[in-house]
Amino acid sequence: MTELIVALLMIVHGEIKEARIQPTMSECLKGKRVAKREAKSHIKYQCIKSKAELEKNIDGSLSIKKLIL
């Protein structure tokens, strides 16, 4: 299924390594601040609003299968 989501991206050396769905942009920015405090210098975090292909996990939660930028 395709939906418009807010996602927190972890970018390492210019490549997206991880993307997590966030409930709101403010929650995403809060998570970005926390992650940035603990990150190494070559890791960047970015919040985006984008369409994404989602898949349901075994426990019923949703995860990002593919970002549509």
Side-chain angles (χ1 to χ4, degrees):
M1 86 182 84
T2 303
E3 286 188 32
L4 184 64
I5 57 146
V6 175
L8 176 58
L9 306 180
M10 181 174 76
I11 303 167
V12 180
H13 299 295
E15 186 179 329
I16 298 172
K17 292 292 185 182
E18 189 173 334
R20 297 273 176 145
I21 299 172
Q22 300 295 308
T24 63
M25 186 58 83
S26 63
E27 287 288 321
C28 186
L29 293 170
K30 182 179 175 183
K32 177 183 171 183
R33 283 192 301 274
V34 171
K36 197 173 179 181
R37 282 187 215 129
E38 301 169 6
K40 304 212 185 315
S41 61
H42 62 277
I43 300 174
K44 285 178 47 181
Y45 293 92
Q46 183 177 353
C47 292
I48 64 165
K49 188 178 277 191
S50 176
K51 283 189 174 185
E53 269 186 40
L54 304 177
E55 62 184 359
K56 238 180 196 180
N57 296 324
I58 294 172
D59 64 357
S61 64
L62 294 174
S63 64
I64 298 171
K65 184 176 182 181
K66 181 170 80 171
L67 286 171
I68 304 169
L69 301 173

